């Protein structure tokens, strides 16, 4: 069975159905794109997958480590523990905290000491803290952020904040990584570099990735398959070539000039 | 960054500050400059540091606005008072302090689980309500002496003991803040949705912070009972919670250094204005307004005494290492 299966997922906000009867399957190791015009419901779908919203109806089934379970309606921290991590479209870093702390917080769910060790700074605490710092630095190295580890997150340039979002998500050791517009606000050079890094991340960590992106150069280049949402409904799915030539998709994007 | 090295450094700083503060006050006592009248202020400073350090963990670090701290303090105070009135030994004082603190912490868990789902104003009102319930219990139970309260509580606290309790409280709370658990609490303050999405059970850590804060409020209450002989339900009213909150806000939400400084400053102001107690409240109000206008982050913001120099040095070192 696929790593992630979404069955008839629907979310209504009062009268507005932001996600409507969506079906989706993502295989292990795939890099899948999710595109669609503004307000199509892409971020809402991410919020449903990660437990920020509870779905009105439908199922989300995760299948990792030989275990299959339904995760819809679970709390975000449980879903994170199950191996799904995400970034946020409107950056949600812990702004006042250091780059290092941002990453270490995401490692907390696997921390190997208890509350008493925390109070007494036992040898176990020291060992674990050293391990966390080392691992955090390794992750930060991916985006060449290690030397900024003591800077406050809010003082990073915009592009680096987006990178830190990805590092933080990686620190939870996910099987499935959800990226919400990782290239938003970046120039073509930065986007090209990010495209490379995402592909490399998948290879090095054996990740499965689902990404929302408006920048078609990125999506068409690295995604094996693409899903298209429009007005909350799944309009089309297929390879980049199929999507490029799909009449309905072209119509949905007409006048958007992207 | 070397965890061991920074731990060693912090140990040295802690020792210097702790022993330094002890030596200064002890010196003033021996020089006759702190007599029993001023000693009341010293005791108040210690107790307020303990109370406010716990509240700062809840409000400053975890971002949960609580107005019920006096309730937890009352639990510690009455438990310790009742025990030492039955058996006036040093042993029962210590047992009473621990028991009072544990009971306060348990109440913190019980109150925290339902109320910490609430946000901002609602949480403030709920915790305020809780403290009032405790006060009304104290006012009506026989064991707490009703409205008259309890008096003649044996005194076991002295300067070295108050100092030791204060230092241990600060060391434990600061250690907690500098742990992964403490960072989980701070993450909640920074962005609750992001914290949850990064795997942090926010309710659990809010309740944990709340229980720890309540525990130390219980300790502070027990020390209060033993220091001031008398307990009255009115002592633990709304204004007591405000007093403690004032220390946290003035010192800076999220700065333990600020809490210590503010506790000292406020107690000394109170001492100087002893004969004008109405004036004290006016001054408090003016100070609160002035802080909100000119320095909303408090005296220290979220900085600590030892941190800035420490970070600067590290930053200079870091690029070279690569
Ligand atoms: N919490 C909410 N309450 C009410 N309506 C909401 C809520 N969240 C999203 N919506 C609505 O759902 C629809 C889909 O929004 P969503 O953010 O998922 O779009 P999107 O595809 O991510 O768009 P964009 O490309 O602009 O990020 C929008 O009409 C939005 O206004
Ligand atoms: Mg969106």
């Amino acid at each position: 069975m696929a790593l992630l299966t979404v069955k008839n997922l629907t979310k209504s906000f009062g009268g507005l159905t932001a996600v409507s009867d969506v079906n989706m399957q993502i295989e292990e190791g795939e890099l899948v794109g999710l595109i669609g015009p503004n307000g199509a419901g892409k971020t809402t779908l991410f919020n449903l997958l990660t437990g920020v919203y509870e779905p009105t109806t439908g199922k989300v089934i995760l299948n990792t480590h030989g275990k299959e379970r339904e995760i819809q309606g679970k709390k975000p921290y449980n879903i994170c523990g199950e191996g799904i991590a995400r970034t946020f479209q409107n950056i949600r870093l812990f702004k006042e905290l250091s780059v290092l702390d941002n990453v270490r917080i995401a490692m907390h769910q696997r921390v190997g000491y208890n509350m008493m060790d925390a109070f007494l700074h036992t040898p176990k605490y020291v060992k674990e803290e050293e391990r966390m710092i080392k691992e955090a630095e390794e992750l930060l190295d991916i985006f060449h952020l290690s030397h900024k580890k003591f800077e406050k997150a809010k003082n990073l340039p915009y592009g680096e904040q987006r990178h830190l979002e990805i590092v933080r998500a990686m620190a939870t050791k996910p099987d499935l990584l959800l990226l919400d517009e990782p290239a938003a606000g970046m120039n073509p050079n930065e986007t090209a570099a990010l495209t490379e890094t995402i592909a490399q991340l998948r290879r090095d960590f054996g990740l499965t990735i689902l990404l929302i992106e408006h920048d078609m150069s990125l999506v068409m280049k690295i995604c094996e398959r693409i899903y298209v949402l429009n007005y909350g409904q799944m309009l089309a799915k297929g390879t980049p070539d199929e999507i490029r030539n799909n009449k309905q998709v072209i119509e949905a994007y007409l006048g958007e000039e992207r | 960054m070397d965890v061991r090295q920074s731990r060693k450094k912090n140990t040295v700083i802690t020792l210097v500050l702790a022993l330094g503060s002890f030596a200064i006050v002890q010196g003033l006592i021996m020089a006759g400059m702190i007599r029993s009248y001023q000693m009341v202020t010293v005791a108040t400073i210690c107790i307020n540091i303990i109370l406010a350090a716990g509240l700062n963990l809840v409000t400053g670090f975890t971002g949960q606005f609580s107005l019920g701290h006096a309730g937890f303090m009352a639990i510690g105070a009455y438990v310790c008072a009742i025990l030492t009135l039955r058996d006036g030994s040093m042993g029962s004082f210590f047992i009473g302090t621990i028991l009072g603190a544990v009971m306060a912490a348990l109440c913190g868990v019980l109150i925290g689980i339902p109320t910490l789902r609430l946000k901002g104003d609602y949480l403030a009102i709920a915790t305020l309500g809780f403290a009032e319930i405790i006060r009304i219990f104290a006012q009506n139970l026989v064991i707490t002496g009703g409205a008259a309260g309890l008096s003649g509580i044996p005194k076991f606290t002295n300067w070295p003991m108050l100092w030791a309790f204060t230092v241990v409280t600060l060391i434990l709370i600061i250690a907690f803040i500098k742990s992964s658990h403490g960072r989980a609490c701070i993450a909640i303050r920074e962005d609750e949705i992001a914290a949850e999405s990064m795997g942090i059970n926010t309710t659990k850590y809010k309740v944990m912070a709340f229980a720890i804060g309540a525990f130390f409020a219980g300790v502070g209450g027990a020390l209060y009972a033993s220091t001031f002989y008398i307990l009255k339900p009115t002592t633990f009213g709304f204004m007591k919670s405000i007093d403690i909150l004032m220390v946290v806000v003035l010192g800076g939400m999220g700065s333990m250094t600020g809490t210590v400084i503010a506790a000292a400053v406020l107690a000394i102001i109170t001492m100087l204005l002893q004969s004008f107690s109405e004036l004290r409240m006016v001054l408090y109000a003016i100070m609160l307004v002035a802080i909100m206008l000119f320095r909303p982050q408090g005296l220290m913001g979220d900085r600590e005494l030892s941190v800035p120099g420490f970070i600067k040095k590290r930053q200079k070192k870091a690029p070279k290492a690569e």
Side-chain angles (χ1 to χ4, degrees), chain A residues 45-66:
Chain A
L45 181 56
F46 268 25
N47 284 334
L48 292 172
L49 296 181
T50 54
V52 175
Y53 295 148
E54 219 175 297
T56 310
T57 58
K59 280 183 185 168
V60 181
I61 300 156
L62 186 67
N63 182 12
T64 55
H65 310 291

Side-chain angles (χ1 to χ4, degrees), chain B residues 34-55:
Chain B
I34 294 182
R35 291 162 189 282
S36 57
Y37 173 67
Q38 287 89 351
M39 199 53 221
V40 171
T41 300
V42 173
T44 306
I45 292 173
C46 290
I47 292 168
N48 280 352
I49 288 174
I50 293 170
L51 293 168
L55 184 62

Side-chain angles (χ1 to χ4, degrees), chain B residues 121-134:
Chain B
D121 309 347
Y122 298 103
L123 177 62
I125 292 165
T127 49
L128 179 68
F130 153 75
E132 281 301 291
I133 290 169
I134 296 292

Side-chain angles (χ1 to χ4, degrees), chain B residues 69-103:
Chain B
H69 221 54
F72 298 119
M73 183 189 176
I75 294 171
Y78 276 105
V79 169
C80 184
I82 290 166
L83 275 173
T84 48
L85 278 171
R86 298 257 156 108
D87 165 27
S89 70
M90 189 66 125
S92 66
F93 164 70
F94 278 113
I95 292 171
T97 305
I98 299 296
L99 195 68
V102 169
M103 280 182 68

